[in-house]
Protein backbone atom coordinates (compact mmCIF):
# COMPACT_ATOMS: atom_id res chain seq x y z
CA UNK A 1 0.00 0.00 0.00
CA UNK A 2 1.26 3.47 -0.86
CA UNK A 3 1.89 5.95 1.98
CA UNK A 4 -1.11 7.60 3.60
CA UNK A 5 -2.37 10.74 1.90
CA UNK A 6 -3.18 13.78 4.03
CA UNK A 7 -5.87 16.02 2.60
CA UNK A 8 -7.77 19.24 3.10
CA UNK A 9 -11.23 19.18 1.51
CA UNK A 10 -12.39 22.64 0.47
CA UNK A 11 -16.13 22.29 0.09
CA UNK A 12 -19.60 23.83 -0.24
CA UNK A 13 -21.97 20.96 0.63
CA UNK A 14 -24.20 20.16 -1.43
CA UNK A 15 -25.32 16.60 -2.17
CA UNK A 16 -22.25 15.30 -3.97
CA UNK A 17 -19.91 17.24 -1.65
CA UNK A 18 -21.52 15.40 1.26
CA UNK A 19 -20.95 12.05 -0.42
CA UNK A 20 -17.32 13.06 -1.04
CA UNK A 21 -16.77 13.81 2.65
CA UNK A 22 -18.49 10.59 3.72
CA UNK A 23 -16.26 8.63 1.35
CA UNK A 24 -13.13 10.31 2.71
CA UNK A 25 -14.13 9.70 6.33
CA UNK A 26 -14.84 6.02 5.55
CA UNK A 27 -11.25 5.43 4.39
CA UNK A 28 -8.77 3.26 6.21
CA UNK A 29 -6.40 5.32 8.39
CA UNK A 30 -3.46 4.02 6.37
CA UNK A 31 -5.04 5.35 3.17
CA UNK A 32 -6.25 8.82 4.01
CA UNK A 33 -6.27 11.43 6.74
CA UNK A 34 -8.74 14.29 6.46
CA UNK A 35 -6.78 17.08 8.12
CA UNK A 36 -9.36 19.81 7.57
CA UNK A 37 -12.67 20.62 5.96
CA UNK A 38 -12.53 24.25 4.82
CA UNK A 39 -16.06 25.40 4.11
CA UNK A 40 -17.13 28.06 1.67
CA UNK A 41 -20.35 29.41 0.19
CA UNK A 42 -21.42 27.87 -3.10
CA UNK A 43 -24.27 25.45 -3.57
CA UNK A 44 -26.05 27.38 -0.80
CA UNK A 45 -24.99 30.28 1.46
CA UNK A 46 -22.12 29.80 3.91
CA UNK A 47 -24.20 29.26 7.07
CA UNK A 48 -26.11 26.44 5.38
CA UNK A 49 -22.86 24.88 4.15
CA UNK A 50 -21.45 24.99 7.69
CA UNK A 51 -24.60 23.39 9.09
CA UNK A 52 -24.42 20.61 6.48
CA UNK A 53 -20.77 19.93 7.30
CA UNK A 54 -21.43 19.71 11.05
CA UNK A 55 -24.50 17.55 10.35
CA UNK A 56 -22.31 14.93 8.68
CA UNK A 57 -20.49 14.33 11.95
CA UNK A 58 -23.68 14.37 14.00
CA UNK A 59 -25.32 11.79 11.70
CA UNK A 60 -22.20 9.62 11.80
CA UNK A 61 -22.24 9.73 15.60
CA UNK A 62 -25.74 8.29 15.53
CA UNK A 63 -24.90 5.85 12.74
CA UNK A 64 -21.94 4.33 14.58
CA UNK A 65 -24.07 3.88 17.70
CA UNK A 66 -26.81 2.26 15.61
CA UNK A 67 -24.35 -0.12 13.98
CA UNK A 68 -22.93 -1.15 17.37
CA UNK A 69 -26.41 -1.82 18.73
CA UNK A 70 -27.29 -3.92 15.69
CA UNK A 71 -24.08 -5.95 15.55
CA UNK A 72 -22.91 -4.34 12.33
CA UNK A 73 -19.25 -3.51 11.79
CA UNK A 74 -18.96 0.21 12.43
CA UNK A 75 -16.76 1.27 9.54
CA UNK A 76 -15.49 4.86 9.17
CA UNK A 77 -12.06 4.08 10.66
CA UNK A 78 -10.53 7.36 9.46
CA UNK A 79 -13.30 9.25 11.26
CA UNK A 80 -12.45 7.51 14.52
CA UNK A 81 -8.67 7.76 14.10
CA UNK A 82 -8.30 11.41 13.17
CA UNK A 83 -10.13 14.55 14.26
CA UNK A 84 -10.33 17.00 11.37
CA UNK A 85 -10.60 20.74 11.76
CA UNK A 86 -13.65 22.45 10.31
CA UNK A 87 -12.96 26.05 9.27
CA UNK A 88 -15.33 28.68 7.89
CA UNK A 89 -14.42 30.65 4.79
CA UNK A 90 -15.92 33.74 3.16
CA UNK A 91 -19.58 34.17 2.39
CA UNK A 92 -19.09 35.62 -1.11
CA UNK A 93 -16.76 35.52 -4.14
CA UNK A 94 -13.69 37.74 -4.47
CA UNK A 95 -15.26 40.27 -6.85
CA UNK A 96 -18.66 38.98 -7.95
CA UNK A 97 -22.18 38.61 -6.65
CA UNK A 98 -22.87 35.41 -4.75
CA UNK A 99 -24.11 32.56 -6.93
CA UNK A 100 -25.95 29.62 -5.37
CA UNK A 101 -27.32 26.35 -6.76
CA UNK A 102 -30.31 25.91 -4.46
CA UNK A 103 -32.41 25.20 -7.56
CA UNK A 104 -30.65 21.81 -7.61
CA UNK A 105 -29.59 21.14 -4.02
CA UNK A 106 -32.59 22.67 -2.25
CA UNK A 107 -32.66 25.76 -0.06
CA UNK A 108 -30.55 24.13 2.67
CA UNK A 109 -28.27 22.31 0.21
CA UNK A 110 -29.67 18.89 1.17
CA UNK A 111 -33.30 19.10 0.01
CA UNK A 112 -34.76 20.22 3.36
CA UNK A 113 -33.34 17.24 5.24
CA UNK A 114 -32.87 19.16 8.49
CA UNK A 115 -36.52 20.14 8.76
CA UNK A 116 -37.76 16.74 7.61
CA UNK A 117 -35.52 14.77 9.99
CA UNK A 118 -34.94 17.15 12.93
CA UNK A 119 -33.58 14.35 15.16
CA UNK A 120 -30.57 14.19 12.80
CA UNK A 121 -30.12 17.96 12.44
CA UNK A 122 -27.71 20.21 14.38
CA UNK A 123 -29.61 22.50 16.72
CA UNK A 124 -29.11 26.21 17.15
CA UNK A 125 -26.79 28.54 15.28
CA UNK A 126 -23.96 26.30 14.11
CA UNK A 127 -21.97 29.28 12.80
CA UNK A 128 -21.36 30.46 16.38
CA UNK A 129 -18.90 27.66 17.10
CA UNK A 130 -16.62 29.19 14.46
CA UNK A 131 -16.91 32.69 15.92
CA UNK A 132 -13.88 33.82 17.90
CA UNK A 133 -16.17 35.99 20.02
CA UNK A 134 -18.71 33.27 20.78
CA UNK A 135 -19.51 32.39 24.38
CA UNK A 136 -18.93 29.02 25.98
CA UNK A 137 -22.54 28.16 25.22
CA UNK A 138 -21.40 27.51 21.65
CA UNK A 139 -19.40 24.43 22.71
CA UNK A 140 -19.04 22.18 19.67
CA UNK A 141 -19.27 19.02 21.81
CA UNK A 142 -23.02 19.53 21.60
CA UNK A 143 -22.67 18.42 17.98
CA UNK A 144 -19.92 15.80 17.75
CA UNK A 145 -16.66 14.67 19.31
CA UNK A 146 -15.19 13.89 15.91
CA UNK A 147 -14.15 17.37 14.74
CA UNK A 148 -12.51 20.55 16.03
CA UNK A 149 -13.91 23.95 15.04
CA UNK A 150 -11.38 26.54 13.91
CA UNK A 151 -11.64 30.14 15.05
CA UNK A 152 -9.41 31.47 12.25
CA UNK A 153 -10.78 31.95 8.72
CA UNK A 154 -10.38 28.92 6.49
CA UNK A 155 -7.67 30.39 4.24
CA UNK A 156 -5.52 31.24 7.27
CA UNK A 157 -5.96 27.71 8.61
CA UNK A 158 -4.85 26.36 5.23
CA UNK A 159 -1.69 28.45 5.44
CA UNK A 160 -1.06 27.45 9.05
CA UNK A 161 -1.30 23.75 8.25
CA UNK A 162 0.95 24.07 5.20
CA UNK A 163 3.52 26.03 7.24
CA UNK A 164 3.51 23.68 10.24
CA UNK A 165 3.79 20.48 8.19
CA UNK A 166 6.56 19.33 5.83
CA UNK A 167 6.34 20.59 2.27
CA UNK A 168 4.55 18.21 -0.10
CA UNK A 169 2.76 16.41 2.74
CA UNK A 170 -0.77 17.86 2.30
CA UNK A 171 -3.02 17.84 -0.76
CA UNK A 172 -6.03 20.12 -1.18
CA UNK A 173 -9.16 18.69 -2.76
CA UNK A 174 -11.08 21.76 -3.95
CA UNK A 175 -14.67 20.74 -4.71
CA UNK A 176 -16.38 24.13 -4.39
CA UNK A 177 -15.70 27.68 -5.56
CA UNK A 178 -11.97 28.37 -5.24
CA UNK A 179 -12.29 31.47 -3.04
CA UNK A 180 -10.63 29.95 0.06
CA UNK A 181 -7.77 28.56 -2.00
CA UNK A 182 -7.23 31.85 -3.86
CA UNK A 183 -7.18 33.83 -0.61
CA UNK A 184 -4.54 31.52 0.87
CA UNK A 185 -2.45 31.66 -2.31
CA UNK A 186 -2.60 35.46 -2.43
CA UNK A 187 -1.84 36.09 1.24
CA UNK A 188 1.33 33.98 1.30
CA UNK A 189 2.22 32.43 -2.08
CA UNK A 190 5.40 30.71 -0.92
CA UNK A 191 3.71 29.02 2.02
CA UNK A 192 0.80 28.02 -0.20
CA UNK A 193 3.21 26.44 -2.71
CA UNK A 194 4.27 23.97 0.00
CA UNK A 195 1.08 22.09 -0.94
CA UNK A 196 1.77 18.77 -2.62
CA UNK A 197 -1.08 19.06 -5.11
CA UNK A 198 -4.36 20.87 -5.58
CA UNK A 199 -7.01 18.60 -7.07
CA UNK A 200 -9.80 20.76 -8.50
CA UNK A 201 -13.28 19.58 -9.36
CA UNK A 202 -14.33 22.25 -11.82
CA UNK A 203 -14.62 23.42 -15.36
CA UNK A 204 -15.67 21.97 -18.67
CA UNK A 205 -12.90 21.66 -21.24
CA UNK A 206 -14.33 19.74 -24.21
CA UNK A 207 -17.93 19.28 -23.05
CA UNK A 208 -20.84 21.60 -22.28
CA UNK A 209 -21.09 23.42 -18.96
CA UNK A 210 -23.74 22.81 -16.32
CA UNK A 211 -24.58 26.41 -15.37
CA UNK A 212 -24.11 28.05 -18.79
CA UNK A 213 -23.44 26.40 -22.16
CA UNK A 214 -19.68 26.68 -21.50
CA UNK A 215 -19.21 27.13 -17.74
CA UNK A 216 -19.28 24.74 -14.78
CA UNK A 217 -20.76 25.92 -11.48
CA UNK A 218 -17.69 25.98 -9.20
CA UNK A 219 -15.72 28.02 -11.72
CA UNK A 220 -18.59 30.33 -12.56
CA UNK A 221 -19.26 31.00 -8.86
CA UNK A 222 -15.85 32.72 -8.56
CA UNK A 223 -14.10 33.08 -11.89
CA UNK A 224 -11.47 35.43 -10.45
CA UNK A 225 -10.47 32.96 -7.76
CA UNK A 226 -10.21 30.14 -10.30
CA UNK A 227 -8.08 32.22 -12.66
CA UNK A 228 -5.76 33.26 -9.81
CA UNK A 229 -5.22 29.68 -8.64
CA UNK A 230 -4.64 28.39 -12.18
CA UNK A 231 -2.14 31.20 -12.76
CA UNK A 232 0.18 29.69 -10.15
CA UNK A 233 0.79 26.74 -12.47
CA UNK A 234 2.61 29.12 -14.84
CA UNK A 235 6.29 30.06 -14.76
CA UNK A 236 5.07 33.66 -15.01
CA UNK A 237 1.81 33.64 -13.00
CA UNK A 238 1.02 37.32 -13.41
CA UNK A 239 0.69 36.85 -17.18
CA UNK A 240 -2.56 34.87 -16.85
CA UNK A 241 -4.03 36.81 -13.92
CA UNK A 242 -7.39 38.48 -14.61
CA UNK A 243 -7.15 42.11 -15.77
CA UNK A 244 -7.21 44.60 -12.90
CA UNK A 245 -10.54 46.38 -12.38
CA UNK A 246 -12.01 48.75 -9.81
CA UNK A 247 -13.21 45.63 -7.93
CA UNK A 248 -9.75 44.05 -7.69
CA UNK A 249 -8.68 43.64 -4.07
CA UNK A 250 -5.87 41.06 -4.26
CA UNK A 251 -2.37 42.01 -5.41
CA UNK A 252 -0.37 40.42 -8.23
CA UNK A 253 1.97 37.58 -7.31
CA UNK A 254 5.70 38.16 -6.73
CA UNK A 255 7.68 38.17 -9.98
CA UNK A 256 9.75 35.21 -8.83
CA UNK A 257 8.37 32.22 -6.92
CA UNK A 258 10.23 29.11 -5.80
CA UNK A 259 8.16 26.73 -7.88
CA UNK A 260 4.95 26.23 -9.84
CA UNK A 261 1.71 24.89 -8.41
CA UNK A 262 0.97 21.23 -9.11
CA UNK A 263 -2.72 21.35 -10.10
CA UNK A 264 -4.76 18.36 -11.23
CA UNK A 265 -8.12 19.09 -12.84
CA UNK A 266 -11.22 16.89 -12.71
CA UNK A 267 -13.59 18.74 -15.07
CA UNK A 268 -17.09 17.76 -16.11
CA UNK A 269 -15.46 15.86 -18.99
CA UNK A 270 -14.40 13.11 -16.55
CA UNK A 271 -16.78 13.55 -13.58
CA UNK A 272 -20.16 13.63 -15.35
CA UNK A 273 -20.09 10.00 -16.62
CA UNK A 274 -19.47 8.74 -13.08
CA UNK A 275 -22.99 8.61 -11.73
CA UNK A 276 -25.41 6.76 -9.51
CA UNK A 277 -29.07 6.18 -10.35
CA UNK A 278 -32.13 6.05 -8.14
CA UNK A 279 -32.80 2.34 -8.77
CA UNK A 280 -29.25 1.29 -7.95
CA UNK A 281 -29.05 3.45 -4.84
CA UNK A 282 -32.43 2.37 -3.46
CA UNK A 283 -31.64 -1.29 -4.05
CA UNK A 284 -28.24 -1.01 -2.37
CA UNK A 285 -29.56 0.54 0.85
CA UNK A 286 -33.00 -1.07 0.97
CA UNK A 287 -32.25 -3.29 3.95
CA UNK A 288 -30.40 -0.59 5.88
CA UNK A 289 -33.20 1.88 5.29
CA UNK A 290 -35.85 -0.59 6.48
CA UNK A 291 -33.78 -1.32 9.59
CA UNK A 292 -33.59 2.38 10.48
CA UNK A 293 -29.96 3.24 9.76
CA UNK A 294 -29.61 6.99 10.50
CA UNK A 295 -27.12 7.40 7.64
CA UNK A 296 -29.37 5.55 5.19
CA UNK A 297 -32.39 7.62 6.22
CA UNK A 298 -30.45 10.88 5.94
CA UNK A 299 -28.74 10.25 2.62
CA UNK A 300 -31.83 8.67 1.10
CA UNK A 301 -33.78 11.87 1.75
CA UNK A 302 -31.45 14.31 0.03
CA UNK A 303 -30.50 11.95 -2.79
CA UNK A 304 -34.17 11.31 -3.51
CA UNK A 305 -34.57 15.06 -3.82
CA UNK A 306 -31.61 15.25 -6.17
CA UNK A 307 -32.93 12.38 -8.30
CA UNK A 308 -36.34 14.07 -8.57
CA UNK A 309 -34.75 17.33 -9.66
CA UNK A 310 -32.67 15.56 -12.31
CA UNK A 311 -35.72 13.69 -13.60
CA UNK A 312 -37.63 16.95 -14.10
CA UNK A 313 -34.97 18.14 -16.54
CA UNK A 314 -34.27 14.75 -18.18
CA UNK A 315 -35.12 14.28 -21.85
CA UNK A 316 -33.00 11.23 -22.68
CA UNK A 317 -33.65 7.50 -22.70
CA UNK A 318 -33.41 5.31 -19.62
CA UNK A 319 -32.96 6.41 -16.04
CA UNK A 320 -30.92 9.56 -15.35
CA UNK A 321 -28.28 9.51 -12.67
CA UNK A 322 -26.65 11.87 -10.20
CA UNK A 323 -23.12 12.65 -11.37
CA UNK A 324 -20.57 11.99 -8.65
CA UNK A 325 -18.46 15.04 -9.43
CA UNK A 326 -16.90 15.69 -6.02
CA UNK A 327 -16.57 12.09 -4.76
CA UNK A 328 -14.41 11.32 -7.80
CA UNK A 329 -11.63 13.52 -6.41
CA UNK A 330 -11.62 11.45 -3.19
CA UNK A 331 -11.49 8.22 -5.17
CA UNK A 332 -8.53 9.61 -7.07
CA UNK A 333 -6.72 10.16 -3.78
CA UNK A 334 -7.62 6.71 -2.49
CA UNK A 335 -6.28 4.84 -5.51
CA UNK A 336 -4.30 7.32 -7.56
CA UNK A 337 -1.50 4.76 -8.06
CA UNK A 338 -3.86 2.60 -10.11
CA UNK A 339 -2.50 2.72 -13.69
CA UNK A 340 -6.05 2.93 -15.02
CA UNK A 341 -6.10 6.60 -14.07
CA UNK A 342 -5.06 8.48 -17.20
CA UNK A 343 -4.04 12.11 -17.53
CA UNK A 344 -3.37 14.13 -20.66
CA UNK A 345 0.13 13.25 -21.92
CA UNK A 346 1.36 16.78 -21.20
CA UNK A 347 0.11 19.57 -18.93
CA UNK A 348 -2.33 21.85 -20.77
CA UNK A 349 -2.40 25.61 -20.99
CA UNK A 350 -5.95 26.02 -19.67
CA UNK A 351 -7.07 29.57 -18.94
CA UNK A 352 -10.24 30.95 -17.39
CA UNK A 353 -12.38 33.52 -19.18
CA UNK A 354 -13.23 36.16 -16.57
CA UNK A 355 -14.72 38.96 -18.69
CA UNK A 356 -16.68 37.40 -21.54
CA UNK A 357 -20.25 38.49 -22.07
CA UNK A 358 -21.38 34.95 -22.90
CA UNK A 359 -18.28 32.86 -22.13
CA UNK A 360 -17.58 33.91 -18.53
CA UNK A 361 -16.18 30.94 -16.61
CA UNK A 362 -15.15 29.00 -19.71
CA UNK A 363 -12.02 26.84 -19.56
CA UNK A 364 -10.10 27.67 -22.72
CA UNK A 365 -7.39 25.38 -24.07
CA UNK A 366 -5.46 25.80 -27.32
CA UNK A 367 -6.60 23.00 -29.64
CA UNK A 368 -4.77 24.18 -32.76
CA UNK A 369 -2.00 21.65 -32.31
CA UNK A 370 0.74 24.17 -33.02
CA UNK A 371 4.22 23.42 -31.76
CA UNK A 372 5.67 25.60 -28.98
CA UNK A 373 9.14 26.52 -30.32
CA UNK A 374 10.87 26.68 -26.93
CA UNK A 375 9.42 23.50 -25.43
CA UNK A 376 12.53 21.32 -25.85
CA UNK A 377 15.04 24.02 -24.99
CA UNK A 378 13.32 24.90 -21.70
CA UNK A 379 13.84 21.39 -20.35
CA UNK A 380 17.61 21.77 -20.71
CA UNK A 381 17.86 25.30 -19.30
CA UNK A 382 18.84 25.96 -15.67
CA UNK A 383 17.02 29.29 -15.55
CA UNK A 384 14.63 29.59 -18.51
CA UNK A 385 13.04 32.83 -17.34
CA UNK A 386 16.41 34.60 -17.56
CA UNK A 387 17.95 32.67 -20.45
CA UNK A 388 18.20 34.99 -23.52
CA UNK A 389 18.09 32.08 -25.96
CA UNK A 390 14.92 30.67 -24.36
CA UNK A 391 13.27 34.08 -24.29
CA UNK A 392 14.07 34.61 -27.96
CA UNK A 393 12.69 31.20 -28.93
CA UNK A 394 9.62 31.72 -26.75
CA UNK A 395 8.68 35.04 -28.35
CA UNK A 396 6.61 34.14 -31.39
CA UNK A 397 5.61 37.01 -33.68
CA UNK A 398 1.87 37.63 -33.57
CA UNK A 399 1.35 35.48 -30.47
CA UNK A 400 0.42 38.37 -28.18
CA UNK A 401 -1.61 36.13 -25.85
CA UNK A 402 1.29 33.75 -25.32
CA UNK A 403 -0.50 30.58 -26.40
CA UNK A 404 2.68 29.33 -28.09
CA UNK A 405 4.82 30.22 -25.08
CA UNK A 406 6.10 27.75 -22.51
CA UNK A 407 7.04 30.55 -20.11
CA UNK A 408 3.75 32.45 -20.00
CA UNK A 409 0.88 29.96 -20.11
CA UNK A 410 -0.69 27.82 -17.39
CA UNK A 411 0.29 24.17 -16.96
CA UNK A 412 -2.67 22.10 -15.77
CA UNK A 413 -2.73 18.31 -15.40
CA UNK A 414 -6.12 17.00 -16.55
CA UNK A 415 -7.61 13.61 -15.72
CA UNK A 416 -9.23 11.96 -18.74
CA UNK A 417 -9.84 8.34 -17.60
CA UNK A 418 -10.58 6.55 -14.32
CA UNK A 419 -10.48 2.87 -13.32
CA UNK A 420 -14.19 2.57 -14.19
CA UNK A 421 -17.51 4.35 -13.89
CA UNK A 422 -19.58 1.42 -12.57
CA UNK A 423 -16.74 0.31 -10.31
CA UNK A 424 -16.71 3.70 -8.64
CA UNK A 425 -20.34 3.71 -7.56
CA UNK A 426 -19.88 0.23 -6.11
CA UNK A 427 -16.75 1.25 -4.22
CA UNK A 428 -18.41 4.40 -2.89
CA UNK A 429 -21.54 2.63 -1.67
CA UNK A 430 -19.61 -0.24 -0.10
CA UNK A 431 -17.30 2.07 1.80
CA UNK A 432 -19.89 4.56 3.03
CA UNK A 433 -22.54 2.01 4.04
CA UNK A 434 -20.12 -0.84 4.85
CA UNK A 435 -22.10 -3.19 2.64
CA UNK A 436 -21.06 -6.81 2.29
Amino acid sequence: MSPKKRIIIDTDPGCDDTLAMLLALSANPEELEVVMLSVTYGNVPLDACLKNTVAIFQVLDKELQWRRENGIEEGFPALKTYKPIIAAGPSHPLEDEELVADYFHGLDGLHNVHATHPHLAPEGDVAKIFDDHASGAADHSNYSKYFTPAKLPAHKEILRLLKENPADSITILAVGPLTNVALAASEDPETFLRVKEVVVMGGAVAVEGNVTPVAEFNTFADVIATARVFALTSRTPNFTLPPKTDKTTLPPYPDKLSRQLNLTLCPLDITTPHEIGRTYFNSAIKERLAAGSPLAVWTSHFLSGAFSTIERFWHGDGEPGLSLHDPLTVWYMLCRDDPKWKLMPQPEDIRIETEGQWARGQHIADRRGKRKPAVDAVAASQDPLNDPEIIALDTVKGDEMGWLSVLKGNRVNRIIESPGEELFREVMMQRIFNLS
Side-chain angles (χ1 to χ4, degrees), residues 9-261:
I9 302 179
D10 192 67
T11 178
D12 61 331
C15 299
D16 58 322
D17 300 72
T18 299
L19 292 175
M21 287 185 277
L22 288 170
L23 179 58
L25 294 169
S26 73
N28 293 319
E30 298 80 14
E31 291 178 311
L32 209 62
E33 176 187 353
V34 181
V35 180
M36 182 169 74
L37 303 171
S38 55
V39 184
T40 184
Y41 70 92
N43 288 313
V44 286
L46 177 64
D47 283 358
C49 289
L50 284 169
K51 185 171 185 176
N52 294 344
T53 305
V54 170
I56 291 171
F57 290 86
Q58 188 156 316
V59 171
L60 288 178
D61 260 333
K62 296 179 184 297
E63 176 70 10
L64 295 182
Q65 180 180 348
W66 180 85
R67 290 185 186 181
R68 288 193 295 270
E69 292 171 352
N70 287 272
I72 299 170
E73 186 179 348
E74 291 182 19
F76 290 97
L79 171 73
K80 295 180 288 185
T81 304
Y82 309 112
K83 191 172 182 177
I85 297 164
I86 300 178
S91 59
H92 55 81
L94 295 179
E95 299 180 17
D96 303 314
E97 297 297 324
E98 183 180 0
L99 175 72
V100 296
D102 55 13
Y103 61 89
F104 182 84
H105 294 272
L107 292 176
D108 67 348
L110 296 175
H111 291 277
N112 206 31
V113 71
H114 305 306
T116 308
H117 300 286
H119 65 294
L120 298 175
E123 297 180 359
D125 186 357
V126 170
K128 285 185 177 179
I129 66 174
F130 304 96
D131 183 356
D132 196 27
H133 303 291
S135 67
D139 183 1
H140 80 283
S141 62
N142 295 334
Y143 299 110
S144 174
K145 63 185 178 183
Y146 290 119
F147 73 88
T148 300
K151 300 298 186 182
L152 291 176
H155 75 280
K156 291 184 180 293
E157 286 288 346
I158 290 173
L159 290 172
R160 181 185 66 81
L161 288 167
L162 293 175
K163 184 176 292 186
E164 293 178 0
N165 288 276
D168 297 319
S169 64
I170 294 178
T171 292
I172 297 174
L173 304 189
V175 296
L178 286 173
T179 315
N180 278 330
V181 182
L183 286 170
S186 296
E187 182 165 315
D188 189 345
E190 285 294 353
T191 294
F192 179 75
L193 288 173
R194 292 169 62 87
V195 70
K196 181 176 183 179
E197 180 181 18
V198 176
V199 181
V200 175
M201 188 281 118
V205 179
V207 298
E208 64 275 9
N210 61 3
V211 68
T212 78
V214 297
E216 174 274 335
F217 176 83
N218 288 340
T219 301
F220 196 77
D222 196 340
V223 293
I224 302 298
T226 307
R228 290 188 65 93
V229 173
F230 277 43
L232 282 174
T233 67
S234 174
R235 289 184 173 90
T236 53
N238 288 325
F239 184 81
T240 54
L241 280 186
K244 186 176 180 179
T245 70
D246 57 1
K247 293 183 179 180
T248 301
T249 57
L250 298 179
Y253 293 119
D255 289 333
K256 188 171 180 61
L257 291 168
S258 60
R259 62 179 183 176
Q260 297 163 250
L261 176 65

Side-chain angles (χ1 to χ4, degrees), residues 340-354:
K340 292 179 181 177
W341 288 104
K342 302 292 185 185
L343 279 71
M344 288 293 286
Q346 299 294 330
E348 294 178 289
D349 183 0
I350 298 176
R351 307 184 194 180
I352 311 303
E353 176 55 61
T354 61

